[in-house]
Amino acid sequence: MSRIVYADNAATTRVSEQVLESMLPFYREVYGNPSSLYTLGQQAKAPLEEAREKVAKCLGARPNEIYFTSCGTESDNWAIKGVARALKGKGKNHIITSKFEHHAVLHTCEALEKEGFQVTYLDVYENGLVRPEDVETAITENTALVTIMYANNEIGTIQPIPEIGEICKKHGVLFHTDAVQAVGNVEINVKDQNIDLLSLSGHKIHAPKGVGALYVRTGVPLQNFIDGGAQERARRGGTENVAEIVGLATAMELACADIPGRIQRLSAMRDKLIHEVLKVDRARLNGDPIRRLPGNASFCFQGVEGESLLLLLDLKGISASSGSACTSGSLDPSHVLLSIGLPHEVAHGSLRLSLGDENTMEDVDYIIETLPGIIERLRSMSPLWDAIQTGKVSYDKYFTERKAPHTNRFLAVEH
Ligand code: PLP
């Protein structure tokens, strides 16, 4: 194997040196319980509160509006179930979300449907964007919450969050956003953008797995998530994971220190990747070409099976992901790709390359050199590709717009 290229930063990231260093004292030296009154406990309490301040600062929030959790999934569950259950007694039993949310949101909404809530799942159209006017149309007098992700984890599209926030505010409806993929990649200010609740996760930004946070605007009605001790202002009991919380805060601070720089660095690599990969015959880019995360490049290739593509890329040292088969072992294509109108046969040939802080232009060049040969090899063994070649089936209508022209149009990044 000549080279290792990790191009799956949307799945997780490596803990950075600075993050690790900031965490280490809390395992062996400052190991007290932050709830203990003696010195060793208080030595752990102060960094915990400093971490809260750092996370709050990155979001434009107040420290007492930040709650630490165990992951993005927990934050999503807490935000959605917590608001829904708190407002049900007031006759608010309706939730609005989109069809292509992460399962942390979709399965939470489905669980609430079983409790008697009504959920509207909005379309995201061919470009993978929720339309603010659809949100407005869906709001009723019973709507408790709108939950729309900040950026999609598979196709990277960045949603019109400030516009949706404005609409929710106008109608007096609470607004939650799953910003797990957006934090550090997009400038976020919860006050300016009218966000009432926001979920984030550490492991997408070079902090460890198993730590996250939920921003809850002061005054938002929210049921407690874990009953127990007085931690997290008695709303989420359990002794705090001080080391990881400190790691999360360090990562947030680093990620938020230079968002324009990251956008520039990552989008330069992404745009080259997109430009070159779209030269492959019958390849398409998934999701809006402009409103997308700086590191996200999501493709479909006709006549290629995503899982096999991943295995062959792995043999060449490239870690990537595909939306074609989900982790449950089912062969159903990704709900995200289906939500943007792709047929199963096209969605099965998907590839997500997600670049991060540790990637270089050489990594991109290596992917560009390696990928076309693998696609050719897979197509040479594919009965579907034969059928496409001989005109027995055609998926070209899903490929025309996204394929041409090969220009620098991806170089403009708007957020
Ligand atoms: N939401 C989005 C958009 C994600 O991409 C992920 C992780 O992939 C999650 C939620 C879940 O986060 P965690 O892995 O911290 O539970």
Side-chain angles (χ1 to χ4, degrees):
M1 199 182 284
S2 51
R3 198 185 167 98
I4 298 288
V5 172
Y6 184 74
D8 204 14
N9 289 275
T12 197
T13 56
R14 184 183 4 205
V15 172
S16 76
E17 301 257 354
Q18 285 135 299
V19 167
L20 183 61
E21 225 166 85
S22 72
M23 291 168 56
L24 288 177
F26 299 95
Y27 289 110
R28 301 280 304 160
E29 294 151 39
V30 190
Y31 58 86
N33 186 323
S35 300
S36 302
L37 290 180
Y38 46 77
T39 308
L40 201 56
Q42 291 309 298
Q43 279 173 347
K45 173 95 181 158
L48 184 65
E49 294 317 315
E50 266 167 42
R52 207 181 300 283
E53 278 166 30
K54 285 180 186 172
V55 172
K57 194 168 169 221
C58 291
L59 300 174
R62 288 195 283 270
N64 65 2
E65 295 174 316
I66 302 298
Y67 296 85
F68 291 114
T69 65
S70 69
C71 58
T73 302
E74 181 187 321
S75 300
D76 285 340
N77 268 261
W78 188 7
I80 300 166
K81 288 177 181 161
V83 166
R85 289 171 184 164
L87 289 180
K88 197 176 181 187
K90 298 194 170 124
K92 304 266 184 189
N93 69 340
H94 177 228
I95 296 163
I96 299 169
T97 188
S98 80
K99 288 182 178 163
F100 79 162
E101 298 291 313
H102 191 274
H103 284 133
V105 168
L106 286 181
H107 289 170
T108 299
C109 288
E110 284 162 21
L112 286 172
E113 281 184 282
K114 292 193 188 118
E115 287 180 25
F117 288 90
Q118 285 175 352
V119 183
T120 301
Y121 298 90
L122 298 177
D123 284 330
V124 294
Y125 303 96
E126 198 268 341
N127 58 0
L129 293 172
V130 171
R131 293 185 185 162
E133 59 269 30
D134 289 355
V135 176
E136 187 151 31
T137 307
I139 291 176
T140 71
E141 57 183 18
N142 296 331
T143 307
L145 180 75
V146 170
T147 173
I148 302 290
M149 67 199 322
Y150 212 121
N152 184 270
N153 45 302
E154 276 185 47
I155 60 173
T157 47
I158 298 170
Q159 304 306 310
I161 292 301
E163 291 84 343
I164 296 172
E166 185 73 43
I167 287 168
C168 291
K169 190 177 173 196
K170 187 170 108 188
H171 291 273
V173 172
L174 293 172
F175 178 39
H176 165 251
T177 186
D178 171 346
V180 166
Q181 294 288 341
V183 165
N185 287 312
V186 184
E187 301 278 4
I188 298 177
N189 183 302
V190 288
K191 306 293 175 195
D192 293 350
Q193 298 173 359
N194 293 311
I195 297 167
D196 296 305
L197 303 106
L198 178 146
S199 304
L200 62 92
S201 175
H203 71 107
K204 311 292 184 180
I205 51 169
H206 302 281
K209 294 153 191 66
V211 65
L214 178 65
Y215 153 77
V216 185
R217 180 177 57 73
T218 305
V220 166
L222 186 79
Q223 267 195 359
N224 291 353
F225 196 60
I226 302 181
D227 294 312
Q231 296 90 354
E232 300 304 296
R233 294 181 292 290
R235 303 183 88 175
R236 197 256 180 206
T239 302
E240 302 89 340
N241 186 347
V242 181
E244 294 208 357
I245 288 170
V246 168
L248 170 67
T250 309
M252 285 279 290
E253 207 178 22
L254 291 168
C256 296
D258 184 24
I259 293 176
R262 174 172 308 97
I263 291 175
Q264 207 177 17
R265 275 193 310 280
L266 294 189
S267 58
M269 292 192 281
R270 174 203 65 187
D271 292 340
K272 181 169 185 191
L273 191 57
I274 292 174
H275 185 72
E276 294 301 319
V277 170
L278 287 185
K279 288 180 181 167
V280 170
D281 186 25
R282 291 185 164 93
R284 62 163 266 146
L285 176 71
N286 298 316
D288 193 88
I290 307 292
R291 288 190 63 97
R292 64 187 308 125
L293 289 171
N296 175 289
S298 165
F299 304 99
C300 283
F301 305 98
Q302 288 189 44
V304 168
E305 211 278 303
E307 294 289 285
S308 316
L309 181 55
L310 291 193
L311 293 175
L312 293 190
L313 283 169
D314 188 35
L315 287 177
K316 295 283 187 185
I318 299 170
S319 308
S321 93
S322 165
S324 67
C326 75
T327 41
S328 65
S330 135
L331 278 178
D332 288 343
S334 120
H335 68 286
V336 173
L337 298 174
L338 297 183
S339 76
I340 59 170
L342 296 180
H344 285 221
E345 295 82 352
V346 173
H348 271 301
S350 68
L351 173 70
R352 178 188 71 185
L353 297 161
S354 48
L355 305 170
D357 288 344
E358 297 194 354
N359 288 114
T360 61
M361 219 32 126
E362 287 73 40
D363 290 344
V364 170
D365 290 340
Y366 180 66
I367 297 171
I368 292 166
E369 273 161 35
T370 312
L371 185 61
I374 292 178
I375 290 172
E376 205 180 308
R377 191 170 149 204
L378 289 171
R379 282 176 172 169
S380 71
M381 300 182 287
S382 158
L384 180 60
W385 182 244
D386 281 347
I388 290 166
Q389 291 287 85
T390 53
K392 284 196 191 112
V393 289
S394 174
Y395 303 104
D396 285 349
K397 70 173 181 171
Y398 303 102
F399 285 74
T400 45
E401 260 183 41
R402 292 275 170 243
K403 174 101 178 113
H406 298 307
T407 65
N408 279 350
R409 71 194 173 118
F410 303 110
L411 292 174
V413 184
E414 263 178 21
H415 293 289

